Amino acid sequence: EGMEERVLVDDDSTIDVRPPLLQDPAYYDDFDTIDWLRDSTRDRKLRSKVDRQNASKHVRIMRKLSQAFYAVQAWIIVALIGLLTGLLAAAIDVGVDWFTDIRFGWCKANFWQSSQVCCREFADEEDGEQFCPKYQQWSQLFGVDAVSKGGYALNYFFYILISIIFASMAALFVKAFARWAAGSGIPETKTILGGFVIRGFASPNTLLVKCIGLIFSVSSGLNLGKEGPLVHVGVCCAELFSKLFSKYRLNEAKKRELFSAAAAAGVSVAFGAPIGGVLFSLEEVSYYFPHKTLWRSFFCAAVAAVTLMYMNPFHTGKLVIFQVQYTHTWVTIELIPFLLLAIIGGLIGSFFIKLNIKMCHYRKTSWLQKYPIQEVMFIAALTSLISYLNPYMRGNSGEIIGSLFDECDPGEKTLLCNPDYKVVLWLLMGGVMRFTLTIFTFGTKVPAGLFIPSLAIGASFGRALGIGMSMLQQAYPDSFLFYECNQASECFTPGVYALVGAAASLAGFTRMTVSLVVIIFELTGELSYILPIIIAVMVSKWVADAFGREGIYDMHILLNGYPFLENKREYRFTSTAYEVMGQEPIDFLPVEGNTISSLNSKLREEKRFTGYPVVNSDQSMQLVGFISRIELRQALDQFKEMGSSEDDTPCFFRQQDINEFSLRSQSTRVFGKKKLLQDMRPWMDETPVQVQPTTDTNLIFDMFKKLGLRYVLVVDRGELLGIITKKDILMHIDQTFDHFKYRVKPILTSSASTSDLSPFPSPRGAPRIQMRERNTDVREIEFDM
């Protein structure tokens, strides 16, 4: 049995060494970057292994079934992702709806019902206030009339108190159980889809805290939304179900295909827009989006939307609370106010990004970072103190946006449908206050999205402008400006202006374009408004780009120092590889003189790089290959499990050295004694990507961007000169083009290093020696001396 693993070598024996398919998963450290080429090779080898196993059965039906099951695994997982994302979105919607109403009162008949469900049979409204005997406000608990001054003050007090409690609960959950649950999660999702590894970001614990914290944070009345974080929820579901099959569990690159589909499902349930969700994943977050991922993302988004529709969390049959339809079309003169809204949206988005980044930088570098819960409580108190005074800031943000989008019915008596200058003033003040409060809120340590605040800001300004246009037309009905109205009493629809303003604002905040237009189309279901929305989105993006091309999520990636290489931007470099490569001394391994003891000592040294070039000698520096710390540690661990880890066991990286050692061992054979050696070639990349020192940086940038490389070795006629990593490319871009002064930490590439290196296996030529393989894919040769 021992001879199955250890092979005695005679002078004329031959050993065949072939590139192995390692059985253990490729392990990546926290804050490391995946190797797309290595994981792609691993997937192809796994598929070939499945085909070979099936072929040996000589049963065509079983072979076909096995291959079909291997192919259908992706569809099973994306269906489960869509199903769970839809269920969680429905639960979050119900929770937010009920907890938000708790700030105002409760349903006496059934306390678990929201005011909308409790008062469904009482549809009469007057001045925007709904009267329902089943629903009791807090002042009524103490026997005080709600319309009196005392009742108003008492309700005001409970509104502020409960808002602070809910906000502090969200911050406590995040701080105590899952720090990655804070924020929207979209910057981190975008970085992960670019090949970055963040351990714990998509764990089940983070998923649970994200859902619970999101309910509390949104219900507190803070200027944030749940739509963006639903993308994070979908990614957590993808991580959970990826463990079902080794095809995805052991392959980080394949797992990112599921993450792309999950991001589409998150936007699908957020806006009731499955097609918009797919386009959002393609346009905004995904780095690698092949055709098969497109179909799987659409299927996942559709399953999520159908699940949410079946759950019907709002009891209205709508997927989202602000889904609307319009009966009037637009006229040509309205293009002027639409363009004005687009310009305003672009300016608002650009100024918000600059101010919010400054605030977040101050938060992360000042005394505020020590008091995240107290900060959230203060912002919640200030927000509730201001919001209660404005009827267009007081309630659920989604319901407010829905009312701003709505088209007024004939005879409707609400304030928005019977407006005066006071309503316009309330809307303008509400937009300004939301803008200001959101600057301080986005970036706090609670689950928080930005879609809803940006929509609400734009909708407030848009509705105010729409009311102004309607008033102007009613005051001057015979003006040549309104010749297309044909004396109609309602030529303009203020809700359309709110919709266009919301789209322009969101475009200015995020720089979304095509996906945003499709999302708005799916919200309204009206093709007649596509043209003004397209114009508004395009102009808003152009205006915002004049002050900076990065959206809010890209800026937060820069702020946190994530190593994300934007694949949609083009740069014109004038430098060469020698100027870009890191100038720090290189850690390398010589091909000779290595033992298990020396390699273990190398791993225990300070981690400046995550890999080692293997060279002929420290004098010649002729490149032989490259081995990462991960692969080296994996090899030594497997040697230890085999019981062959003596400290003085020699380790070789070249076939020539193995042959020479074999000859020396045979010539000095001593009967009864055995000597072992370890062949390190299976863990070494013998054909790493190399460039000349004079290579144009534009070519190197394209190699990193299009091939997903993690490192490139700079070699001059075989002599190793240096290494270019993704970190070096990002730092060169930052120094050459757009220096970002608000970065709070250096560009991250690993948990203990600022480098970003890892090998990928490459096919080797025909070997001259033959060797039998161990089941653990460890090559070990035993010499009888």
Side-chain angles (χ1 to χ4, degrees):
E1 295 180 358
M3 295 297 292
E4 292 288 329
E5 300 178 349
R6 300 186 178 185
V7 183
L8 297 179
V9 179
D10 296 324
D11 292 339
D12 57 349
S13 63
T14 58
I15 302 172
D16 184 15
V17 180
R18 301 182 185 278
L21 174 64
L22 299 178
Q23 301 299 320
D24 292 339
Y27 176 79
Y28 294 103
D29 289 328
D30 199 9
F31 299 117
D32 202 358
T33 310
I34 70 170
D35 193 324
W36 295 90
L37 294 179
R38 181 176 65 179
D39 286 353
S40 177
T41 302
R42 184 182 296 274
D43 179 61
R44 289 196 300 270
K45 289 183 177 179
L46 180 61
R47 183 182 293 272
S48 299
K49 182 179 178 181
V50 172
D51 292 340
R52 288 195 303 268
Q53 289 175 347
N54 292 331
S56 64
K57 296 178 181 179
H58 304 290
V59 181
R60 176 173 295 183
I61 296 178
M62 293 300 298
R63 178 182 179 184
K64 292 293 184 181
L65 289 176
S66 180
Q67 291 177 343
F69 177 71
Y70 184 84
V72 83
Q73 289 176 5
W75 295 98
I76 295 174
I77 293 180
V78 295
L80 293 174
I81 293 170
L83 179 64
L84 183 57
T85 303
L87 292 174
L88 291 176
I92 291 172
D93 287 335
V94 172
V96 168
D97 199 23
W98 185 76
F99 276 99
T100 299
D101 287 337
I102 288 294
R103 293 183 297 158
F104 301 95
W106 73 97
C107 183
K108 293 189 297 183
N110 300 299
F111 74 91
W112 61 87
Q113 290 183 341
S114 64
S115 61
Q116 182 182 15
V117 178
C118 183
C119 302
R120 189 184 304 170
E121 56 185 294
F122 304 94
D124 294 335
E125 296 185 3
E126 181 179 335
D127 295 332
E129 295 291 333
Q130 187 180 42
F131 293 93
C132 172
K134 288 186 176 182
Y135 193 79
Q136 188 175 40
Q137 298 188 36
W138 287 107
S139 61
Q140 296 174 306
L141 179 65
F142 300 93
V144 181
D145 191 358
V147 297
S148 65
K149 292 182 179 180
Y152 183 89
L154 200 56
N155 289 328
Y156 196 1
F157 169 77
F158 274 99
Y159 180 88
I160 297 173
L161 177 64
I162 296 175
S163 297
I164 296 174
I165 293 174
F166 285 170
S168 61
M169 288 292 293
L172 279 170
F173 269 99
V174 170
K175 183 178 180 180
F177 302 109
R179 64 188 182 94
W180 288 115
S184 67
I186 292 180
E188 290 78 11
T189 298
K190 190 171 182 177
T191 307
I192 288 174
L193 287 172
F196 199 44
V197 177
I198 304 179
R199 301 294 178 191
F201 174 77
S203 65
N205 189 55
T206 301
L207 175 61
L208 180 62
V209 174
K210 190 80 173 186
C211 295
I212 297 175
L214 194 58
I215 293 174
F216 280 116
S217 62
V218 175
S219 302
S220 68
L222 291 169
N223 280 279
L224 46 83
K226 57 180 171 53
E227 282 65 25
L230 286 175
V231 173
H232 188 186
V233 170
V235 171
C236 291
C237 296
E239 174 69 24
L240 182 66
F241 289 119
S242 68
K243 302 182 186 300
L244 293 177
F245 304 108
S246 59
K247 174 182 177 181
Y248 294 98
R249 183 176 66 253
L250 307 181
N251 194 309
E252 290 290 338
K254 294 291 292 181
K255 190 183 295 184
R256 272 143 185 80
E257 297 177 9
L258 301 180
F259 289 169
S260 294
V267 175
S268 174
V269 296
F271 296 101
I275 300 176
V278 175
L279 292 176
F280 172 83
S281 180
L282 171 63
E283 177 185 3
E284 187 65 21
V285 298
S286 293
Y287 194 88
Y288 175 65
F289 204 84
H291 186 265
K292 60 182 179 181
T293 302
L294 175 68
W295 279 108
R296 292 168 185 170
S297 299
F298 178 71
F299 178 69
C300 186
V303 171
V306 170
T307 302
L308 184 63
M309 179 180 292
Y310 178 78
M311 297 301 295
N312 193 19
F314 302 113
H315 304 280
T316 60
K318 298 180 179 179
L319 287 177
V320 289
I321 203 168
F322 43 84
Q323 191 171 354
V324 292
Q325 289 185 344
Y326 299 113
T327 57
H328 295 83
T329 187
W330 58 283
V331 295
T332 306
I333 190 61
E334 291 183 287
L335 288 177
I336 296 176
F338 290 160
L339 286 174
L340 179 60
L341 286 174
I343 295 172
I344 293 174
L347 293 174
I348 288 174
S350 179
F351 292 149
F352 173 85
I353 292 172
K354 294 182 182 297
L355 295 174
N356 178 254
I357 291 298
K358 289 182 178 180
M359 179 61 205
C360 290
H361 179 265
Y362 178 77
R363 176 183 291 119
K364 292 175 179 290
T365 57
S366 69
W367 57 272
L368 272 177
Q369 64 176 333
K370 299 179 181 179
Y371 307 101
I373 299 177
Q374 292 85 341
E375 181 194 9
V376 170
M377 293 175 66
F378 175 78
I379 294 176
L382 181 63
T383 301
S384 57
L385 188 68
I386 296 173
S387 298
Y388 194 83
L389 303 175
N390 190 323
Y392 302 109
M393 295 181 64
R394 186 183 304 168
N396 186 312
S397 296
E399 294 179 353
I400 293 173
I401 293 173
S403 64
L404 295 176
F405 285 176
D406 275 344
E407 181 179 11
C408 293
D409 296 326
E412 193 170 342
K413 299 181 180 180
T414 59
L415 288 175
L416 286 175
C417 295
N418 296 273
D420 54 18
Y421 73 94
K422 292 182 180 179
V423 174
V424 176
L425 186 61
W426 281 122
L427 290 171
L428 294 176
M429 290 178 59
V432 172
M433 293 310 302
R434 281 187 184 276
F435 175 82
T436 305
L437 292 170
T438 307
I439 291 173
F440 296 96
T441 305
F442 190 69
T444 55
K445 299 303 180 183
V446 294
L450 195 61
F451 285 163
I452 285 295
S454 59
L455 290 174
I457 293 168
S460 298
F461 291 131
R463 186 81 185 202
L465 182 59
I467 292 173
M469 290 293 296
S470 181
M471 289 181 172
L472 185 64
Q473 187 262 335
Q474 292 177 10
Y476 304 97
D478 299 327
S479 173
F480 72 96
L481 295 174
F482 312 119
Y483 72 94
E484 290 184 88
C485 296
N486 297 324
Q487 304 297 322
S489 58
E490 295 183 1
C491 184
F492 303 128
T493 304
V496 173
Y497 288 77
L499 184 68
V500 173
S505 177
L506 187 54
F509 277 66
T510 64
R511 306 298 200 272
M512 293 165 55
T513 53
V514 178
S515 58
L516 176 57
V517 171
V518 174
I519 287 172
I520 298 298
F521 161 67
E522 291 185 272
L523 277 175
T524 60
E526 291 289 340
L527 282 172
S528 57
Y529 295 101
I530 286 294
L531 181 59
I533 291 173
I534 290 176
I535 294 174
V537 169
M538 291 175 59
V539 173
S540 175
K541 186 180 186 303
W542 288 338
V543 172
D545 283 347
F547 297 90
R549 298 190 60 181
E550 287 81 11
I552 184 64
Y553 302 125
D554 297 315
M555 292 298 284
H556 274 266
I557 289 174
L558 294 174
L559 178 71
N560 291 298
Y562 297 145
F564 179 75
L565 190 63
E566 179 60 67
N567 61 347
K568 300 180 179 67
R569 290 195 61 175
E570 298 291 337
Y571 298 96
R572 294 182 180 179
F573 299 97
T574 58
S575 55
T576 62
Y578 187 80
E579 300 173 67
V580 178
M581 71 181 188
Q583 300 301 319
E584 62 270 20
I586 303 173
D587 283 340
F588 62 89
L589 291 174
V591 292
E592 297 180 349
N594 297 296
T595 63
I596 288 182
S597 176
S598 66
L599 293 178
N600 277 316
S601 299
K602 196 74 173 177
L603 287 175
R604 286 193 294 267
E605 292 178 359
E606 182 181 355
K607 185 180 177 183
R608 296 191 296 121
F609 294 95
T610 57
Y612 307 102
V614 181
V615 297
N616 240 350
S617 66
D618 55 357
Q619 287 82 23
S620 67
M621 294 296 289
Q622 291 293 310
L623 182 67
V624 176
F626 185 90
I627 185 168
S628 71
R629 291 177 61 94
I630 296 172
E631 300 284 355
L632 182 58
R633 184 170 62 242
Q634 185 184 45
L636 296 177
D637 289 344
Q638 290 192 10
F639 295 159
K640 185 176 181 180
E641 291 176 3
M642 292 164 47
S644 57
S645 58
E646 290 101 357
D647 289 344
D648 62 343
T649 302
C651 301
F652 295 103
F653 293 93
R654 288 189 310 185
Q655 183 64 58
Q656 174 185 349
D657 298 325
I658 295 176
N659 294 340
E660 292 177 356
F661 185 82
S662 173
L663 293 175
R664 291 197 304 268
S665 300
Q666 294 296 329
S667 63
T668 59
R669 176 179 298 182
V670 179
F671 181 79
K673 294 184 179 180
K674 298 178 180 180
K675 192 170 183 179
L676 304 176
L677 70 83
Q678 301 292 0
D679 183 8
M680 304 299 295
R681 289 177 302 155
W683 288 271
M684 182 182 67
D685 180 10
E686 296 186 76
T687 56
V689 179
Q690 308 171 33
V691 296
Q692 293 293 315
T694 56
T695 303
D696 190 357
T697 306
N698 293 287
L699 175 60
I700 298 173
F701 176 75
D702 286 340
M703 292 169 66
F704 275 94
K705 185 174 67 172
K706 297 177 180 179
L707 298 180
L709 300 179
R710 305 177 67 197
Y711 71 93
V712 170
L713 302 181
V714 182
V715 178
D716 184 19
R717 290 186 287 272
E719 180 183 354
L720 177 67
L721 299 181
I723 303 173
I724 298 177
T725 68
K726 183 182 285 189
K727 180 204 73 172
D728 296 320
I729 292 291
L730 291 170
M731 292 298 294
H732 187 68
I733 292 173
D734 184 61
Q735 296 168 4
T736 306
F737 297 99
D738 19 65
H739 177 65
F740 187 69
K741 62 181 179 180
Y742 294 111
R743 184 177 286 116
V744 296
K745 61 183 72 174
I747 295 176
L748 298 173
T749 51
S750 69
S751 57
S753 172
T754 56
S755 297
D756 183 27
L757 309 175
S758 181
F760 56 89
S762 303
R764 302 185 177 94
R768 293 176 297 172
I769 306 179
Q770 296 182 350
M771 171 189 265
R772 286 200 291 270
E773 298 182 15
R774 298 174 61 92
N775 293 332
T776 56
D777 291 307
V778 177
R779 306 308 193 268
E780 181 181 299
I781 310 174
E782 180 179 307
F783 293 96
D784 191 10
M785 299 185 63

